[in-house]
Amino acid sequence: MTGDGSDQVEPQQLALVPESTAPRKRVAKAKPALEAAPHLSVAQVAVDTGLSHLDRPFDYLVPTTLDELVVVGCRVKIRFAGRLVDGFVTDRVDGTEHEGKLAYIAKVVSSEPVLRRDVLELAQAVADRYAGTLGDVLRLAIPPRHARAEASVREAAAGELPDVDDAVWRTHTHGPEFLSSIRAGDSPRAWWGALPGQQPSRAVAQAVLAALHSGRGSIVCVPDVRDVARWDAVFTEVLGAGHHVVLTAASTPAARYAAFLAVSRGQVKVVLGTRAAAFAPVHDLGLVAMWDDGDDLYAEPRAPYPHAREVLLLRATASSSALLIGGYARTAEGQSLVESGWCTELVAGQTARRTAWPRLEVTDGSVAGSAPARLPQEVFRAVRAATGAVLMQVPRRGYRESLSCQACRHPARCTACQGPLVQTSASAPIACRWCATEVPSWSCDNCGGTKLRAPVVGQLRTAEEFARAFPDLPVVTSGGDTILDDVEPERVLVLATPGAEPHVQGGFDVVVLLDTWLMTGRDDIRVEEEAHRRWFNALALAGPGAIAIAVGDATMLQALVRSDPAGFAARELASRAETHLPPTARLATVDASDDVLAELAGRTWTPNTEVLGPVPVDPRDDQAGQRLILRAPRREGSQLAAGLKAAAAERSAAKQPALRVQVDPQSL
């Protein structure tokens, strides 16, 4: 309007800039403030940080929205150092000792309680024993989650348990009493010396059946998946279908996690598997068992490098369960427990042992003072006379795995890298094992000779020689990438590397141990124990009345001649005690750079720790680093491991490269 009161409208100035037609930005609504659960509001979480100095549980608040989902043992996501990381809830409590402000749990991955308290305590004990972190052990103990397997429901096992049959144990002194004790709910501990001709899987299955009759579960560990498949069939026959599960890393992720959940939920009480099965969350554990504990497959190749035998020993002690560890051979660790009285031994009488084991003939291959032959006349005669399958154990796989000068015996080396020369087959060229450089024409740098000899012959070359010697006899090989599980009970010659020997129904007619000197030619603390274990395992495949021949030194093979694995183990343990080696002492290796090891060598670890080195990890590789060896009395083992753990935590806190620590390694 105008100022004089008229109704005329005063014109307005047009806008120079048009109004924006873009949509207005929405103001984000503030998230409602999280509230802590009214009861047990704090969750203690084992966080997978991978850092030694942070190897402890951390407290987090449980929001009311996740109160029912956050259960002890479940997987969660939490914020740690600004990022989401995985963790396991180890407990729920009402308060915290943390003085600052607690963060909330970000997410529940799954409310399935996969970490039981007893398994958590076992994992912590293993971490302390091997100077490792809890997170590393939990990665070994709990398989990765598989959502589809978690959502499935396993059908209840059908059928009643059959009665326990102790017939297979009657040849062993106190064997039936051992089974009766387990069935009565007791917890006997025994080291078992098995005999050839008696299925060890059936004997262990009867012990598991006795534990089931007492209302308790069992864990059984065998070396590899080939053994698992064979034992699985026997367990199904003895226990009935549905009473046990197989737990191995070779299974598919879904099958492995489904088997793990069946045990964790208490639907199945018996686990058969490889080394990872030692951590299985079996309810009411009454028996832990292991077959052939000296096999190097039981040593975990990932940090903190625990041995499955030690895991089971810790578990048997913590749960007061029965223990059964057996094999055809005996380790020094087993002999140590027997001599200390911690466990008894289940062995057959001398007459039964001599009857069950094949009679062994030892020859060095020489005749009337002549030079030793690799394939002696005794072997040829035994092979010709055999009416069934013949087994030959050859220490090395391949063709010609080592070459030297025919004239002066000087090792043949590559001119490019000084690596050893080998030949992989009859048609393959001579080449370097390290750099693969082919050598079409070779001459000895010591004497100038041009002819090569093979001091070490593999199974393929041996098979070639025997195929020419016995043209009417089928020859098959087992080893490397091609391993036979079984062969038909017919006249056939099987050449196998140690550990790859197949089974034959009724056993082999002839068992030959070739080149036994090669088995003990390595520099290692367990070389003789490992060689005898493999020899005894091969001889155990012989059938009733079979012939056995060993090519080597009779003095070194006396334990085989006398069928006395326990006697050998006693001598081996005495030798370890003299040299202060495990199991009579604790030994730890630390791999790091020179300057780091120099500082560690100057520390006081325990009152009686010996510091050896540093020495090169691999003398052939300058980049492999250095190694420090620490040796302490067994009673100071826990203190030594704690010191190593503290040293690793110091470097982790200072953001320095980690140490590689191994306690009681399988080899040096």
Side-chain angles (χ1 to χ4, degrees):
M1 288 188 175
T2 59
D4 58 5
S6 65
D7 294 335
Q8 185 178 358
V9 179
E10 188 178 63
Q12 297 180 354
Q13 183 177 355
L14 297 176
L16 297 177
V17 180
E19 295 183 4
S20 174
T21 59
R24 295 180 179 179
K25 293 183 179 180
R26 295 183 179 179
V27 179
K29 294 182 179 180
K31 293 183 179 180
L34 294 176
E35 294 183 1
H39 303 290
L40 302 178
S41 59
V42 177
Q44 295 179 344
V45 181
V47 184
D48 188 9
T49 64
L51 300 173
S52 298
H53 71 289
L54 298 177
D55 185 31
R56 58 183 177 82
F58 289 85
D59 291 346
Y60 284 84
L61 288 175
V62 179
T64 54
T65 54
L66 301 178
D67 189 15
E68 296 182 358
L69 298 177
V70 177
V71 297
V72 175
C74 74
R75 305 175 197 256
V76 294
K77 290 276 190 182
I78 49 90
R79 289 224 167 258
F80 194 91
R83 60 191 181 94
L84 280 176
V85 297
D86 297 314
F88 294 96
V89 176
T90 61
D91 203 357
R92 284 190 62 169
V93 294
D94 281 319
T96 178
E97 296 180 357
H98 182 69
E99 296 180 356
K101 184 179 179 181
L102 293 181
Y104 283 89
I105 289 178
K107 179 183 178 182
V108 175
V109 177
S110 168
S111 59
E112 182 78 34
V114 293
L115 178 58
R116 287 236 315 269
R117 191 174 298 277
D118 59 332
V119 176
L120 172 64
E121 293 172 354
L122 172 67
Q124 188 61 65
V126 171
D128 294 341
R129 164 73 169 80
Y130 287 95
T133 64
L134 177 63
D136 286 341
V137 180
L138 290 181
R139 278 194 291 272
L140 305 176
I142 302 176
R145 178 176 180 256
H146 193 280
R148 187 178 301 172
E150 191 171 278
S152 64
V153 179
R154 180 187 175 92
E155 296 181 2
E160 295 183 358
L161 292 171
D163 291 333
V164 178
D165 183 3
D166 63 2
V168 70
W169 284 100
R170 290 173 189 166
T171 54
H172 292 76
T173 306
H174 306 305
E177 291 81 1
F178 178 77
L179 258 62
S180 299
S181 179
I182 295 176
R183 183 167 185 170
D186 297 330
S187 301
R189 298 189 294 258
W191 217 272
W192 165 43
L195 293 179
Q198 298 176 346
Q199 283 184 290
S201 54
R202 193 169 298 276
V204 175
Q206 291 296 337
V208 169
L209 184 58
L212 285 174
H213 276 286
S214 71
R216 299 177 296 170
S218 302
I219 295 174
V220 180
C221 291
V222 295
D224 60 28
V225 292
R226 295 170 58 225
D227 297 308
V228 169
R230 191 174 290 111
W231 285 53
D232 181 31
V234 175
F235 271 44
T236 301
E237 178 186 345
V238 173
L239 306 179
H243 289 290
H244 78 283
V245 294
V246 167
L247 194 59
T248 71
S251 303
T252 63
R256 183 185 179 191
Y257 195 59
F260 176 86
L261 290 179
V263 178
S264 178
R265 293 169 178 174
Q267 298 166 336
V268 177
K269 284 192 172 184
V270 178
V271 174
L272 169 66
T274 49
R275 60 175 179 261
F279 293 97
V282 175
H283 291 246
D284 303 318
L285 185 62
L287 171 68
V288 294
M290 173 180 276
W291 171 253
D292 198 12
D293 69 295
D295 197 304
D296 56 7
L297 291 175
Y298 285 124
E300 175 61 53
R302 294 170 293 177
Y305 318 104
H307 195 285
R309 177 187 54 238
E310 302 303 315
V311 176
L312 289 181
L313 292 177
L314 288 170
R315 191 151 196 191
T317 302
S319 62
S320 299
S321 61
L323 172 78
L324 177 63
I325 301 183
Y328 295 121
R330 184 181 295 182
T331 59
E333 283 79 6
Q335 186 64 24
S336 174
L337 295 177
V338 170
E339 292 186 6
S340 68
W342 192 83
C343 68
T344 60
E345 58 179 349
L346 295 177
V347 295
Q350 183 176 2
T351 303
R353 292 203 313 272
R354 293 290 177 87
T355 302
W357 287 97
R359 186 180 296 276
L360 181 71
E361 178 184 355
V362 181
T363 176
D364 63 357
S366 63
V367 178
S370 63
R374 181 169 179 265
L375 304 175
Q377 295 181 3
E378 294 88 343
V379 175
F380 277 91
R381 286 197 295 265
V383 173
R384 288 194 183 98
T387 59
V390 176
L391 172 65
M392 286 200 179
Q393 187 191 71
V394 184
R396 299 283 178 88
R397 62 176 177 264
Y399 191 72
R400 295 203 293 174
E401 294 300 297
S402 177
L403 295 171
S404 62
C405 178
Q406 177 68 40
C408 68
R409 304 299 194 262
H410 190 72
R413 295 289 179 179
C414 172
T415 56
C417 70
Q418 293 301 305
L421 298 183
V422 298
Q423 187 179 19
T424 57
S425 69
S427 59
I430 306 297
C432 176
R433 184 190 298 163
W434 293 356
C435 68
T437 300
E438 295 185 3
V439 184
S441 59
W442 174 86
S443 63
C444 179
D445 57 4
N446 184 53
C447 70
T450 58
K451 292 185 178 181
L452 289 165
R453 66 185 297 271
V456 178
V457 176
Q459 97 224 38
L460 298 180
R461 176 61 183 267
T462 305
E464 197 176 83
E465 295 173 356
F466 272 90
R468 289 196 298 264
F470 303 99
D472 60 332
L473 185 63
V475 179
V476 298
T477 62
S478 179
D481 296 332
T482 306
I483 297 180
L484 301 175
D485 291 330
D486 299 280
V487 294
E488 294 297 325
E490 57 189 16
R491 194 165 185 264
V492 62
L493 177 59
V494 181
L495 287 97
T497 53
E501 301 91 350
H503 288 245
V504 60
Q505 186 177 359
F508 287 93
D509 277 10
V510 179
V511 176
V512 180
L513 308 177
L514 286 180
D515 301 334
T516 56
W517 58 273
L518 273 177
M519 298 280 280
T520 56
R522 298 179 295 110
D523 291 328
D524 194 85
I525 60 175
R526 300 179 186 272
V527 61
E528 289 195 20
E529 177 184 278
E530 176 65 8
H532 278 77
R533 185 186 70 83
R534 294 187 180 275
W535 291 333
F536 275 117
N537 285 352
L539 293 176
L541 297 175
I547 297 173
I549 302 172
V551 182
D553 183 6
T555 304
M556 182 179 63
L557 304 175
Q558 281 303 300
L560 305 182
V561 175
R562 295 194 300 267
S563 306
D564 186 22
F568 169 79
R571 292 188 294 275
E572 179 71 9
L573 180 62
S575 174
R576 302 269 187 93
E578 291 178 0
T579 53
H580 305 289
L581 292 174
T584 59
R586 281 281 184 269
L587 188 144
T589 62
V590 185
D591 296 355
S593 58
D594 294 342
D595 56 335
V596 174
L597 295 184
E599 187 273 327
L600 295 178
R603 292 193 180 192
T604 300
W605 297 95
T606 73
N608 298 288
T609 294
E610 301 174 75
V611 180
L612 309 176
V615 296
V617 174
D618 187 349
R620 301 171 300 179
D621 186 0
D622 295 335
Q623 305 300 319
Q626 298 288 310
R627 170 172 293 167
L628 191 70
I629 300 176
L630 306 174
R631 188 167 57 184
R634 187 180 180 87
R635 64 180 180 275
E636 298 176 2
S638 298
Q639 185 179 352
L640 176 61
L644 289 167
K645 207 169 178 179
E650 291 172 10
R651 295 187 59 79
S652 174
K655 298 183 179 180
Q656 296 174 331
L659 303 173
R660 187 179 189 274
V661 178
Q662 279 190 276
V663 177
D664 291 348
Q666 281 293 101
S667 61
L668 286 177

